[in-house]
Amino acid sequence: MRVLPLLLLLLAPACVPLGTPITSTSSAPGQQKPPEYYADKTLRYQDYTYTPEVRSVQCYVATGQPNEVFQPPVVPLGQSPAITLEFDVLGEQSQRYTAKLIHCDLNWQPSVLTDMQFLNEINEFPITDYRVGVNTKVPYFHYRLRAPAVKLSGNYLLLVQSPGGVPVVSRRLLVYENQVQVGLKPGLVIGGQERYALQQLDFGISYASVNLVNPAVEVKVVLRQNFRWDNAKYNLRPTFVRDAERRLEYQYFAFENAFPGLSEYRFFDTRSVQSNGIGVLHLDPRTSPVSVTLQPEETRNKQAYNQYQDTNGQRVFESREFGNGATNADYTNVTFQLKAAQPAPGPVYVLGALTDWQLKDEFRLSYDEAKQLYTGHALLKQGYYNYDFAVAGTPGSAPDEIYFEGSHRETENQYDLLVYYRPPGSRADLLIGYQTAAVNSRL
């Protein structure tokens, strides 16, 4: 699921894999949204959208390259390029927003640092870069902000607020420094059937160039798949501490450092509202917003692995007719469909960057027993989308993506390792190491 070769894919008119429909209770502008998700305005220290008018949020590293929107918001301390936040606000009237940074600890709770301990400027940034959507059926304003530079490595929450301090959107940012050497590479799964479905990441940390106090206890690591936070692995302890070599090794035998490989993400292409893109069954440009019905999808569990290029669950906005997806792409009412001979053991959702990797009420699918079909509707900006289907489990448990997607060791995925350390007497968890690794890279 490598994203770098996607540029050629995006420039081609129709060479993207088949997409799937998703069902949701989301509706077109003018219709009331379900209150469950958006009713609570309590600030959350995670990627979150607090109002239904805010759509199409992207947070990435502005590299100047065509595929920059796929770069996660992770930057080295004291270096360019900057992290950029973009989002739309539906409606015909622009809004006044300000942004601020919140320094967080390892567990994504606000730290006790003052603003001046991690910033060189006043921690209030008016968002003045905004433009109106051009000739769109669904009116909106597009906002853009470059995150300010910071003085400390670690976790930061970028928060956008409306007048009165009401949260609008929040995104997690990472700033790292390479004080330690991190080795992260694909490993071999030792097991039975697990070796066909899981992907293991082996890693070690060398700290020869820095003095760490009690590193076996004080060094904390987080392992992520495709830069997601919802299924990240925490509390991984070193299995070997080699004091003479000043090295920590993490070698597990109970799959603590293994992830389901899943399948390549499903996708669909709505960059044109004049002709059907890949994964689109039917579209009606006469409606407002344009109605798009996706091809019915089927379960991929227990099926053979199917190799194709995807974008690791991400999406990009674009209009084939007018270009410039930021302000020329319109919003469409997308109908998702999923064939199922019987209901799943729990509620079924669409999952991906389009949902902030959360089980949102507006992306929940409804099951028609007579048709043996899950369906739903979601208001989405024109673009190319990756996603999969997930079944909700018990409260607090991770959603089950394997039920409809299956899992294969051959799937291409990206992983990254975050290494934290709090020096003695310090009040900040520093991000002292960062490393990425690709499994089954297509390059």
Side-chain angles (χ1 to χ4, degrees):
M1 298 196 287
R2 188 102 178 148
V3 302
L4 293 179
L6 184 67
L7 175 58
L8 296 176
L9 186 66
L10 293 176
L11 294 177
C15 54
V16 193
L18 181 65
T20 314
I22 164 179
T23 310
S24 93
T25 55
S26 172
S27 51
Q31 296 179 329
Q32 187 175 3
K33 302 286 183 180
E36 292 83 355
Y37 180 83
Y38 298 108
D40 187 358
K41 302 298 183 183
T42 303
L43 175 60
R44 293 163 171 82
Y45 296 91
Q46 63 184 82
D47 296 344
Y48 206 83
T49 303
Y50 300 84
T51 173
E53 287 74 30
V54 172
R55 297 274 166 168
S56 308
V57 182
Q58 289 180 306
C59 192
Y60 59 92
V61 177
T63 62
Q65 301 299 316
N67 60 345
E68 65 180 4
V69 295
F70 302 124
Q71 303 302 315
V74 184
V75 293
L77 180 66
Q79 298 184 27
S80 297
I83 293 174
T84 298
L85 174 68
E86 297 190 53
F87 60 93
D88 294 341
V89 178
L90 303 185
E92 298 181 351
Q93 181 65 44
S94 63
Q95 306 293 326
R96 294 177 55 193
Y97 297 114
T98 59
K100 63 181 294 187
L101 276 181
I102 301 175
H103 183 268
C104 296
D105 63 15
L106 166 71
N107 298 312
W108 288 101
Q109 293 300 308
S111 73
V112 296
L113 297 185
T114 64
D115 292 346
M116 295 310 296
Q117 288 178 298
F118 61 86
L119 278 176
N120 286 319
E121 50 193 317
I122 297 175
N123 196 3
E124 183 175 351
F125 308 95
I127 303 179
T128 58
D129 184 356
Y130 62 92
R131 293 168 290 168
V132 65
V134 180
N135 295 326
T136 58
K137 292 185 176 182
V138 177
Y140 66 88
F141 283 80
H142 181 76
Y143 292 79
R144 188 173 187 269
L145 170 72
R146 292 174 68 92
V150 296
K151 298 188 290 186
L152 292 177
S153 64
N155 295 346
Y156 292 88
L157 188 78
L158 181 60
L159 173 64
V160 176
Q161 298 173 303
S162 61
V166 179
V168 173
V169 63
S170 56
R171 282 298 181 271
R172 291 176 173 181
L173 318 180
L174 297 176
V175 180
Y176 69 91
E177 49 189 327
N178 288 317
Q179 295 188 25
V180 297
Q181 292 184 337
V182 182
L184 178 67
K185 62 180 181 179
L188 295 177
V189 176
I190 306 300
Q193 292 300 314
E194 292 88 355
R195 68 182 185 273
Y196 300 111
L198 299 182
Q199 294 177 343
Q200 179 169 303
L201 281 298
D202 295 333
F203 57 95
I205 301 170
S206 298
Y207 54 97
S209 59
V210 60
N211 291 322
L212 302 181
V213 178
N214 194 12
V217 175
E218 299 302 329
V219 170
K220 315 289 186 181
V221 298
V222 178
L223 184 61
R224 301 191 300 174
Q225 181 188 58
N226 294 327
F227 314 113
R228 294 169 56 174
W229 290 104
D230 62 307
N231 63 352
K233 294 186 179 295
Y234 297 84
N235 302 317
L236 297 174
R237 310 304 302 174
T239 51
F240 297 96
V241 181
R242 305 190 185 279
D243 290 329
E245 302 173 18
R246 300 176 66 82
R247 178 176 174 80
L248 304 175
E249 293 185 359
Y250 298 75
Q251 299 178 10
Y252 302 103
F253 302 96
F255 313 124
E256 293 95 331
N257 56 336
F259 291 79
L262 300 177
S263 298
E264 308 296 350
Y265 284 92
R266 304 172 190 260
F267 57 88
F268 63 91
D269 187 347
T270 58
R271 289 174 288 177
S272 174
V273 292
Q274 302 299 326
S275 60
N276 293 355
I278 296 295
V280 175
L281 176 66
H282 173 74
L283 64 83
D284 188 351
R286 300 167 298 177
T287 61
S288 182
V290 173
S291 299
V292 176
T293 302
L294 300 184
Q295 299 273 3
E297 291 284 340
E298 297 183 353
T299 182
R300 300 189 292 184
N301 198 354
K302 303 186 185 306
Q303 293 185 359
Y305 170 71
N306 185 14
Q307 177 180 325
Y308 54 81
Q309 204 99 41
D310 69 359
T311 62
N312 292 346
Q314 299 297 316
R315 76 274 200 246
V316 63
F317 306 120
E318 183 184 350
S319 168
R320 285 215 179 275
E321 285 77 27
F322 305 105
N324 188 12
T327 55
N328 290 345
D330 207 342
Y331 278 81
T332 62
N333 195 21
V334 178
T335 298
F336 295 85
Q337 305 180 79
L338 172 63
K339 296 179 181 178
Q342 59 188 17
V348 178
Y349 294 80
V350 170
L351 186 67
L354 75 167
T355 72
D356 291 343
W357 298 106
Q358 299 166 15
L359 301 183
K360 291 187 176 182
D361 299 317
E362 59 185 306
F363 286 91
R364 180 170 173 170
L365 307 180
S366 302
Y367 186 68
D368 187 320
E369 189 170 0
K371 296 181 179 179
Q372 296 186 332
L373 185 70
Y374 279 101
T375 57
H377 313 282
L379 185 68
L380 298 172
K381 198 173 188 178
Q382 282 183 265
Y384 167 80
Y385 286 80
N386 273 192
Y387 69 98
D388 66 14
F389 295 109
V391 180
T394 58
S397 64
D400 182 2
E401 296 173 79
I402 298 178
Y403 185 86
F404 284 113
E405 304 302 335
S407 187
H408 308 274
R409 66 181 181 183
E410 299 92 343
T411 304
E412 191 276 324
N413 287 296
Q414 289 183 310
Y415 295 87
D416 62 350
L417 184 72
L418 320 177
V419 182
Y420 295 90
Y421 175 71
R422 176 174 292 196
S426 171
R427 300 184 297 172
D429 293 320
L430 304 180
L431 185 51
I432 63 171
Y434 179 75
Q435 185 64 48
T436 62
V439 174
N440 300 320
S441 174
R442 309 302 182 212
L443 292 180

